[in-house]
Amino acid sequence: MEVRELHGRPSSPAEAEAIQDRLRPMLELGVPGPVEPRTVAGLDVAYAGDGGGAGTRLAAAVVVLDGTSLEVVEESAAVGTAAFPYVPGLFAFRELPTLLDALRALKTVPDLLVCDGFGVAHPRRFGLACHLGVLTGLPTIGVGKTAFIGAYEEPGPRRGDASPLLDGGEVVGRVLRTRDGVKPVFVSVGHRTDLDTACRNVLDLTPEYRLPETTRRADRLSREALAG
């Protein structure tokens, strides 16, 4: 699939933040997202060792699932090195080059990308899901295991219960319970979708487990690629 080249690799945190600020106006937020996507891709990255520092070996995986059956349609993995030091809020720059290699190898163009991370639930409202959305032009959401920013009230105990994730009085995401009595996930939009649709998609992708099937299978593939 095609991915746009909109910037090079930043050499400093200041340059990386400037790239985020330059690309952020390209986001399409609040537009209706894919209600019944035919194909959904999950993206995840596995790191060697503790994952710290630039140059750490990593593997990026993309797994495309049928949106109805959740069966695997296509898989792609790439091995590389972390392209940027670990800096909170700039994590995308560590993973992007290898993730983009995996995406470019796909023959399928997914209707929706699901990132293990965040979209606008980010200090500069431009997390990994936003970045990938702008570069691919595809509807993209982030599903985090824990909150990166923001405050929230614990949602109800039942699957589908939710509460807003707030930062500075702004709704930046939603805390969503995907399994009865299990810790919630943190959903935020990245590009070309709305929060209601994003949460419906996440519930469709979690028929048995807390995390979306897209994330679970991409996580497994990334670890296998790193081990290989």
Side-chain angles (χ1 to χ4, degrees), residues 115-201:
C115 300
D116 178 28
F118 303 94
V120 297
H122 179 275
R124 282 175 296 282
R125 306 297 187 260
F126 201 78
L128 176 62
C130 298
H131 212 137
L132 284 167
V134 168
L135 295 181
T136 63
L138 298 175
T140 310
I141 64 174
V143 183
K145 302 178 186 71
T146 58
F148 177 36
I149 63 165
Y152 62 94
E153 295 184 0
E154 191 73 11
R158 308 294 292 180
R159 170 176 162 86
D161 287 343
S163 62
L165 180 64
L166 301 168
D167 184 53
E170 179 184 357
V171 176
V172 296
R174 192 169 294 167
V175 187
L176 178 66
R177 192 88 62 187
T178 56
R179 311 301 306 158
D180 290 355
V182 174
K183 290 190 298 184
V185 297
F186 298 81
V187 181
S188 55
V189 301
H191 185 57
R192 294 186 59 198
T193 191
D194 61 278
L195 191 53
D196 287 342
T197 305
C199 289
R200 285 197 297 271
N201 285 325

Side-chain angles (χ1 to χ4, degrees), residues 1-226:
M1 60 173 284
E2 184 177 348
V3 179
R4 294 186 289 179
E5 293 279 359
L6 295 179
H7 62 83
R9 296 192 185 187
S11 59
S12 67
E15 186 178 344
E17 290 180 5
I19 290 171
Q20 290 177 331
D21 291 340
R22 178 169 59 84
L23 297 184
R24 188 172 54 249
M26 300 175 67
L27 291 175
E28 297 177 32
L29 301 175
V31 300
V35 176
E36 295 181 350
R38 293 167 299 175
T39 52
V40 185
L43 301 91
D44 202 5
V45 174
Y47 287 83
D50 63 7
T56 301
R57 187 169 178 268
L58 57 81
V62 184
V63 178
V64 182
L65 304 184
D66 180 277
T68 302
S69 68
L70 301 185
E71 295 296 322
V72 175
V73 174
E74 187 179 359
E75 297 179 339
S76 174
V79 176
T81 57
F84 198 78
Y86 174 75
V87 179
L90 301 177
F91 199 75
F93 292 97
R94 294 172 59 77
E95 304 183 345
L96 274 171
T98 311
L99 274 172
L100 296 181
D101 285 343
L103 281 167
R104 287 189 179 99
L106 287 180
K107 297 178 181 178
T108 306
V109 179
D111 293 331
L112 177 68
L113 300 182
V114 180
C115 300
D116 178 28
F118 303 94
V120 297
H122 179 275
R124 282 175 296 282
R125 306 297 187 260
F126 201 78
L128 176 62
C130 298
H131 212 137
L132 284 167
V134 168
L135 295 181
T136 63
L138 298 175
T140 310
I141 64 174
V143 183
K145 302 178 186 71
T146 58
F148 177 36
I149 63 165
Y152 62 94
E153 295 184 0
E154 191 73 11
R158 308 294 292 180
R159 170 176 162 86
D161 287 343
S163 62
L165 180 64
L166 301 168
D167 184 53
E170 179 184 357
V171 176
V172 296
R174 192 169 294 167
V175 187
L176 178 66
R177 192 88 62 187
T178 56
R179 311 301 306 158
D180 290 355
V182 174
K183 290 190 298 184
V185 297
F186 298 81
V187 181
S188 55
V189 301
H191 185 57
R192 294 186 59 198
T193 191
D194 61 278
L195 191 53
D196 287 342
T197 305
C199 289
R200 285 197 297 271
N201 285 325
V202 171
L203 289 173
D204 287 343
L205 291 167
T206 52
E208 297 183 57
Y209 300 98
R210 174 188 176 229
L211 296 178
E213 284 301 303
T214 41
T215 300
R216 286 167 37 81
R217 299 192 194 193
D219 172 75
R220 187 182 308 139
L221 179 59
S222 67
R223 294 175 187 275
E224 290 172 354
L226 188 65

